[in-house]
Amino acid sequence: MASITIIDIAKMCGVGVTTVSRAINNHPDISEETKAMIMKVIKENHYVPNNSARNLKRSASKTIAVLIKGITNPFFNRMIQVFEKEIKRKKYSFILQRVDEHQDEIEVAIELEKEKRLKGIVFLGGYFSHSKEKLEQLTVPFVLSTIGMAPEFDPTEFSSVSVDDFKESYKIVDFLCSLGHRKIAIITAPMDDVSIGKLRYEGYKKALEDRGLQVDSRLVCSMKDHLESYSMENGYVVTKDLLESGEPFTALFAVSDSLAVGACKAIFESGKHVPGDYSVAGFDGLDIAYYYNPSITTIRQPVEEIAEETLRILFDLINKKQSHSHKIFPGELMIRESTARI
Amino acid sequence: MASITIIDIAKMCGVGVTTVSRAINNHPDISEETKAMIMKVIKENHYVPNNSARNLKRSASKTIAVLIKGITNPFFNRMIQVFEKEIKRKKYSFILQRVDEHQDEIEVAIELEKEKRLKGIVFLGGYFSHSKEKLEQLTVPFVLSTIGMAPEFDPTEFSSVSVDDFKESYKIVDFLCSLGHRKIAIITAPMDDVSIGKLRYEGYKKALEDRGLQVDSRLVCSMKDHLESYSMENGYVVTKDLLESGEPFTALFAVSDSLAVGACKAIFESGKHVPGDYSVAGFDGLDIAYYYNPSITTIRQPVEEIAEETLRILFDLINKKQSHSHKIFPGELMIRESTARI
DNA sequence: TTGTAGGCGTTATCAC
DNA sequence: GTGATAACGCCTACAA
C-alpha cells in the first residue's frame, strides 16, 4: 500500500534522487539518456510525485487561482473558459476553487495562497466587504471581477473589473419607461442584501425617479430566502405572488435572466402573455435569454472582455507593471421580444 | 514576508509545538486554558496552518473528492449541492475538482489522492473507458455517477450509479411513436463519440426498430464539433441545418434539454410552431425544460436520489460494508407541452 | 553530469 | 497535560 517515492525510483534506476528530480522537472543539467531511462522507469511503476511535498518545498509556483462564489451561476461558465485558456497561454497553471455561499472567500484565499504558493488570485462573484486588515494578509496580487462592492472601500487598495450595475440597471428600466410603462415591478434581492441585487435595485429606483415616477413598494418584490437566489424557480414563485396580489403593473424587471424566465412562466400560467400583457426584462445576457420564447430583453455583460481585462490587470500587477486599477465595462441593452410599447 | 509558522506561535505562547498542534486539531490531551490561550494568539497573529505540510504528514484525512467533467452542465448543480451537504453531514470535507474535457480523470484522481490523502472519490460525468491497470492505481474507493460506461467493463471492478440511458431514451422515443410520429429526427453526439450520447442514440434506434420504423440517416443529426457540446447553441444550429435541408419530419428528439431549447428556437425562427408543426423532446429534466415556453417533454433523471445513492455506496465501500455495486435509477417521462399527437 | 544532505511546516511517537 | 524529535516526500545548495 505504501506509495512509491522518488527515493524508490532513484534506487531502481541506480541514480541519486537529484537526478530523478531533474528528470521530472525538466531541468537542464541532465543527459538525455539518463532522463529517458528514468522517465521510463517512472512510467512503468506509475510513480506520481506528491504534490504536497512539492508545494511545501517550492518557494513559488506559477499558478493563478480563481475563487468563485455561486458556481451554479451560468454566467460564470464563459468567464471560466476564458480564464483557463488565457492562464494556460501564459504558461501558468490554473486552479478553480469554489467558495460556499457562507464561506469567507478571503480566508479561503489566504489558505490557498499558502498551500499552493499562488502568484495571483481572481475573485469572481459575491459581494466584497472585508476589513482592510484581512485584505492585507493576502500577499499576492488579486483582482475582483464582476463583484458588487461596498462604496466605502478605498479604491487604491484593490483592483476590479465589472459593469456598472447601477447604471446598466438604470438603462434598462429607463428603456421600459420609454416604452410608456409607468407601473414597473422589480424582482430583486431581499432588502437586507448588499450585493449586486442592491445596486441594480438602486438603478431601478433612480430611473423611475428621474422619470417622475414613484417607487411603489407593492411592486418591489424580493426573492424568496428559502429558494436558491437568482434562480428560475425563485422568479416563478415571486411573480406568482405578485400576480395573485392583484396589484396592477405593465412591466417587470427581473435583476437576472433566470429570474426573468421564471417570471415569464408564471405569467403564462396565469393565462397572460409576454409582452402582450406584461413586458419582461432581465439582466446578464445569458444564452437562455436569447433562446427563450419570447426572447428576453436584457443587459448583456461583455463576459469575455471582462475576463480578459481581469487577467490583464492581474498579470500587470504580478509583473509590477502597474498599481491598482478599476475597469468598468459598458453593458449592452439587448432589445428583444419580451418587451413592447404599452 | 515570511509566513508565520507553528513554531513562531509555540514560542509566542511559551509552549511546545505539539501543544499548539493539539490546540489546532482539537486533540483531547490539552487543558482548556492553554488551548484558549493558544487560539487567542493564533487569531491575533492571523496564523494559518500550511495545508501542504499537513497533508504531507497526515496519514489520512477525512475528505472526499468529487471529480466532475463538464462543469458547465447545469445538470450537475443540484448533484453537487447534495454531495456537499451529505459529505459535510458525515463530517468529511469536500473537494470539488473540475476535470478538463481532454484531461484524463483517472490521472487527476491519482494525483489528488496522494496529495490530499483522500478517503473516497466520486466521478461525475464524462465517459469511462480506462484500462484496468490504471484503475488499480486508485487505492481508495470510488463510485462512477451518471457516467456512460463501456459495456466491456468488468462490473466487479467498480461501482456506479446512473439511469439506463439506453432504456430511458427508448422510452421517450417510443412515446413519440405512440403519438403517431413516424418521422422522428434526433440530435445526438457525433458517431465517433462513445458517451451517453451514443447510448441515447442506440435507444432511439431500437425504439424505432421495435415499431417497425426505419432509421433515416438524414434525420440523424450530430452536434457540431466546433460548438460546445450539448449546448443550446449547438441544438439551434443543428436544427437550423435540418430544417433547411427540407427533409420532412414531425418530431425531434434532442439528447439533452439544452439542445432541445436551441431546437425550439430554430423552429420558431423558421415560422413554425411547437408542438403544432413539430413535437420536440429533450432529456435530463433540467429546470429550463419546465420553465421553457412551451414546457418541454423530457426524461427526468432523479438527481437527488442519484447523488444520495452514490454517496451511500461510497461510504459503504469506505467502511468495507460491501463490495462493488451498481444501481440503476429509472428516469421519469415528463409529458409536457412540447409534444402532441400528430 | 551526478550524488549527499538539510530543510520546507506539520503531525505522530514517545518520553516526561 | 506537555514537550523534544523523528518522520512525511520532495527540492536544491553544495560537494564531488
Side-chain angles (χ1 to χ4, degrees), chain B residues 15-16 18-19 22 29 31 34 57:
Chain B
V15 301
T18 316
T19 313
R22 282 195 184 103
D29 283 352
S31 72
T34 39
K57 181 61 197 176

Side-chain angles (χ1 to χ4, degrees), chain B residues 18-308:
Chain B
T18 316
T19 313
V20 178
S21 178
R22 282 195 184 103
I24 297 171
N25 298 293
N26 278 96
H27 266 274
D29 283 352
I30 183 172
S31 72
E32 278 307 322
E33 320 153 55
T34 39
K35 181 167 167 181
M37 183 268 276
I38 291 170
M39 291 314 275
K40 184 158 164 284
V41 175
I42 286 178
K43 278 273 174 293
E44 281 170 6
N45 295 77
H46 310 299
Y47 163 68
V48 178
N50 181 315
N51 256 324
S52 293
R54 302 183 103 163
N55 292 328
L56 181 58
K57 181 61 197 176
R58 258 205 278 259
S59 41
S61 75
K62 287 180 72 167
T63 109
I64 306 281
V66 175
L67 301 212
I68 167 174
K69 207 157 188 171
I71 201 163
T72 58
N73 190 340
F75 176 75
F76 293 137
N77 286 165
R78 197 69 256 286
M79 292 189 75
I80 294 173
Q81 289 173 20
V82 175
F83 285 138
E84 173 150 35
K85 199 179 110 234
E86 284 297 301
I87 290 174
K88 279 198 176 150
R89 205 171 57 76
K90 296 254 187 187
K91 306 282 184 207
Y92 275 67
S93 40
F94 166 68
I95 295 178
L96 182 68
Q97 173 75 46
R98 217 172 53 87
V99 178
D100 193 85
E101 198 65 48
H102 330 285
Q103 247 179 118
D104 182 329
E105 56 260 61
I106 300 296
E107 285 180 8
V108 176
I110 292 169
E111 198 166 324
L112 205 60
E113 180 191 328
K114 295 202 180 178
E115 176 173 352
K116 302 286 191 181
R117 316 277 177 181
L118 301 180
K119 268 281 187 306
I121 303 174
V122 172
F123 290 97
L124 209 56
Y127 189 72
F128 219 74
S129 55
H130 299 281
S131 66
K132 183 177 174 181
E133 194 189 18
K134 225 172 196 172
L135 242 39
E136 279 172 353
Q137 292 174 56
L138 239 32
T139 58
V140 297
F142 62 94
V143 179
L144 312 185
S145 194
T146 66
I147 290 188
M149 228 122 21
E152 66 270 23
F153 262 85
D154 181 350
T156 64
E157 281 168 3
F158 64 99
S159 294
S160 71
V161 182
S162 65
V163 302
D164 184 334
D165 287 282
F166 173 83
K167 193 171 127 195
E168 301 305 331
S169 173
Y170 181 101
K171 194 192 284 177
I172 197 164
V173 173
D174 190 66
F175 167 72
L176 290 172
C177 292
S178 78
L179 291 176
H181 295 282
R182 302 186 58 82
K183 288 186 169 302
I184 302 174
I186 183 173
I187 304 178
T188 184
M191 279 307 133
D192 59 341
D193 178 289
V194 278
S195 77
I196 51 170
K198 160 124 176 155
L199 297 172
R200 292 179 189 173
Y201 170 70
E202 296 293 340
Y204 160 84
K205 222 167 83 179
K206 187 71 167 35
L208 291 188
E209 282 165 5
D210 285 2
R211 287 271 180 174
L213 299 172
Q214 283 283 315
V215 172
D216 181 344
S217 66
R218 288 163 303 187
L219 293 182
V220 176
C221 312
S222 295
M223 291 186 275
K224 304 290 181 189
D225 267 332
H226 63 283
L227 298 176
E228 191 183 338
S229 37
Y230 300 96
S231 66
M232 294 185 260
E233 187 187 7
N234 220 321
Y236 172 78
V237 171
V238 169
T239 306
K240 224 174 164 80
D241 281 0
L242 175 63
L243 290 168
E244 282 169 6
S245 77
E247 204 57 43
F249 67 100
T250 63
L252 173 61
F253 168 45
V255 298
S256 88
D257 289 334
S258 299
L259 288 172
V261 165
C264 287
K265 181 74 180 180
I267 291 171
F268 298 146
E269 279 196 359
S270 75
K272 301 291 189 178
H273 298 277
V274 175
D277 299 299
Y278 302 102
S279 284
V280 173
F283 198 114
D284 280 345
L286 297 187
D287 280 355
I288 189 61
Y290 170 73
Y291 287 105
Y292 199 70
N293 175 37
S295 57
I296 295 171
T297 294
T298 190
I299 294 286
R300 192 184 77 82
Q301 299 199 53
V303 278
E304 276 94 352
E305 287 96 321
I306 291 178
E308 280 162 11

Side-chain angles (χ1 to χ4, degrees), chain A residues 123-290:
Chain A
F123 291 97
L124 209 56
Y127 188 73
F128 219 74
S129 54
H130 298 280
S131 66
K132 184 176 173 179
E133 193 189 19
K134 229 176 193 168
L135 243 37
E136 278 172 353
Q137 292 174 58
L138 237 33
T139 59
V140 297
F142 62 94
V143 179
L144 314 183
S145 194
T146 65
I147 291 187
M149 226 121 21
E152 66 270 23
F153 262 85
D154 181 350
T156 63
E157 280 168 4
F158 64 99
S159 294
S160 72
V161 182
S162 65
V163 301
D164 184 333
D165 287 282
F166 173 83
K167 195 171 125 196
E168 301 304 331
S169 174
Y170 182 101
K171 194 192 284 178
I172 197 164
V173 173
D174 191 65
F175 167 72
L176 290 173
C177 292
S178 77
L179 256 22
H181 294 281
R182 303 187 57 82
K183 289 188 168 299
I184 302 174
I186 183 173
I187 304 178
T188 184
M191 279 306 133
D192 58 343
D193 178 289
V194 277
S195 77
I196 49 170
K198 163 128 175 152
L199 296 172
R200 292 179 189 173
Y201 170 69
E202 296 295 341
Y204 160 84
K205 221 167 83 180
K206 186 74 167 34
L208 291 188
E209 282 165 5
D210 286 0
R211 287 270 181 176
L213 299 170
Q214 282 283 316
V215 171
D216 181 343
S217 66
R218 287 163 304 187
L219 294 181
V220 176
C221 312
S222 295
M223 291 186 276
K224 304 290 181 189
D225 267 333
H226 64 284
L227 298 177
E228 190 183 338
S229 37
Y230 300 96
S231 67
M232 294 184 260
E233 187 187 6
N234 219 320
Y236 172 77
V237 171
V238 169
T239 305
K240 225 174 162 75
D241 281 0
L242 175 63
L243 290 168
E244 281 168 6
S245 77
E247 203 57 41
F249 66 100
T250 64
L252 173 61
F253 169 45
V255 298
S256 88
D257 288 335
S258 299
L259 288 172
V261 165
C264 286
K265 181 74 180 180
I267 291 171
F268 298 146
E269 279 195 359
S270 75
K272 302 290 188 178
H273 298 277
V274 174
D277 298 300
Y278 302 102
S279 284
V280 174
F283 198 112
D284 279 346
L286 297 187
D287 279 355
I288 190 60
Y290 170 74

Side-chain angles (χ1 to χ4, degrees), chain A residues 109-118 137-140:
Chain A
I110 292 170
E111 201 166 323
L112 204 60
E113 179 191 330
K114 294 201 180 178
E115 176 173 350
K116 303 286 190 182
R117 315 279 178 181
L118 302 180
Q137 292 174 58
L138 237 33
T139 59
V140 297

Side-chain angles (χ1 to χ4, degrees), chain A residues 15-16 18-19 22 31 34 56-57:
Chain A
V15 300
T18 318
T19 314
R22 283 194 183 107
S31 72
T34 37
L56 183 56
K57 184 61 196 179

